[in-house]
């Protein structure tokens, strides 16, 4: 067993352009059946500690006060089927992943990346997000790639653990880890307060990290 220690050398993050937390709170409040439930929801929002959440869906308020979005994902009519949600994932996920990678290292193509680990559970696309990242970021198409799919919130931890084991077994490895979710594509119409409160936790975003044995920045966190 190698004695190599895997460090998180750098981290980059990216969010979509639209702030949606306040709009979502107003959207939900308008759907609740009575003042008591709305007050309870409001108290839980205040106690959540959530300040901002982001989405590719731009919220708007109609003249009658109805909160929706410009593409009518959450309008008064039928909400879009899975196919439309997946098409939007395919459109927006690669750009968000690349923005996180750019924040990590603008010259990632020259960083000697040997492995790519991608975690996501909010969309399918073909070619896969990992393949698109390699092509658009200019990475070596021969690098080893792994997709960690459909593990939900703890996928990032498993992705970093996988990168840790790669570095321990191959000390000269430089592992790019990308985690990405577009949760706002998948909110469901419901009057169940527990479900609405759970939706309050999720937004869209991406993060990228570089794991290797060497120390390349101030962020040196062995795991």
């Amino acid at each position: 067993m190698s004695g190599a220690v895997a460090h998180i050398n750098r981290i980059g993050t990216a969010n979509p352009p639209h702030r949606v937390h306040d709009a979502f709170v107003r959207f939900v409040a308008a759907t609740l059946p009575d003042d008591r439930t709305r007050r309870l929801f409001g108290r839980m929002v205040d106690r959540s500690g959530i300040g901002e959440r982001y989405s590719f869906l731009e919220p708007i308020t109609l003249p009658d006060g109805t909160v929706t979005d410009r593409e009518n994902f959450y309008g008064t009519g039928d909400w879009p089927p899975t196919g439309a949600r997946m098409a939007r994932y395919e459109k927006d996920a690669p750009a968000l992943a690349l923005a996180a990678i750019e924040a990590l290292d603008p010259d990632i193509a020259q960083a000697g990346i040997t492995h790519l680990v991608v975690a996501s559970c909010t969309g399918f696309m073909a070619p896969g997000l990992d393949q698109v990242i390699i092509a658009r970021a200019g990475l070596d198409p021969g690098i080893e790639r792994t997709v960690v799919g459909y593990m939900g919130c703890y996928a990032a931890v498993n992705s970093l653990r996988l990168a840790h084991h790669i570095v321990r077994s191959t000390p000269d490895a430089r592992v790019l880890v990308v985690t990405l979710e577009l949760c706002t594509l998948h909110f469901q119409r419901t009057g169940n307060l527990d479900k609405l409160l759970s939706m309050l936790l999720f937004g869209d975003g991406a993060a990228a990290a570089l794991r290797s044995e060497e120390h390349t920045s101030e962020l040196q966190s062995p795991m």
Side-chain angles (χ1 to χ4, degrees):
M1 175 69 70
S2 168
V5 177
H7 295 267
I8 302 175
N9 286 285
R10 280 169 282 172
I11 294 174
T13 61
N15 292 313
H18 306 300
R19 290 179 169 89
V20 297
H21 182 65
D22 291 343
F24 178 80
V25 171
R26 289 187 286 115
F27 172 83
V28 170
T31 68
L32 295 175
D34 54 70
D35 288 341
R36 179 183 179 279
T37 307
R38 280 189 287 273
R39 288 195 299 270
L40 177 58
F41 178 74
R43 287 199 298 271
M44 297 304 291
V45 170
D46 292 340
R47 294 178 181 181
S48 70
I50 298 170
E52 294 289 352
R53 289 183 296 135
Y54 296 83
S55 175
F56 281 106
L57 303 172
E58 182 178 2
I60 59 172
T61 302
L62 301 179
D64 65 358
T66 300
V67 179
T68 180
D69 64 277
R70 292 197 179 278
E71 298 177 53
N72 208 35
F73 259 61
Y74 302 105
T76 56
D78 292 337
W79 287 10
T82 300
R85 299 170 194 267
M86 293 301 94
R88 192 60 195 263
Y89 179 93
E90 184 174 3
K91 175 180 179 290
D92 292 326
L96 188 62
L98 290 169
I101 293 169
E102 175 78 10
L104 170 71
D105 185 351
D107 198 23
I108 196 68
Q110 305 302 318
I113 300 300
T114 60
H115 298 72
L116 172 65
V117 179
V118 175
S120 185
C121 70
T122 49
F124 279 113
M125 55 185 291
L129 181 59
D130 55 331
Q131 294 171 295
V132 174
I133 288 172
I134 288 173
R136 295 192 188 179
L139 301 176
D140 180 353
I143 68 174
E144 296 186 31
R145 53 189 175 87
T146 303
V147 175
V148 179
Y150 307 98
M151 288 188 170
C153 296
Y154 69 104
V157 175
N158 281 332
S159 298
L160 291 172
R161 183 184 297 119
L162 175 59
H164 164 78
H165 289 302
I166 291 171
V167 173
R168 290 196 69 193
S169 63
T170 310
D172 61 349
R174 294 174 63 79
V175 186
L176 174 61
V177 179
V178 179
T179 63
L180 179 147
E181 302 297 353
L182 302 186
C183 298
T184 64
L185 297 182
H186 299 286
F187 292 157
Q188 300 296 310
R189 178 176 277 151
T190 178
N192 183 288
L193 184 59
D194 289 343
K195 292 182 179 179
L196 290 168
L197 286 169
S198 70
M199 292 178 190
L200 184 73
L201 302 175
F202 298 101
D204 301 349
L210 174 65
R211 295 212 71 169
S212 66
E213 182 183 20
E214 62 184 334
H215 296 176
T216 59
S217 77
E218 295 179 359
L219 183 60
Q220 300 168 0
S221 304
M223 292 182 67

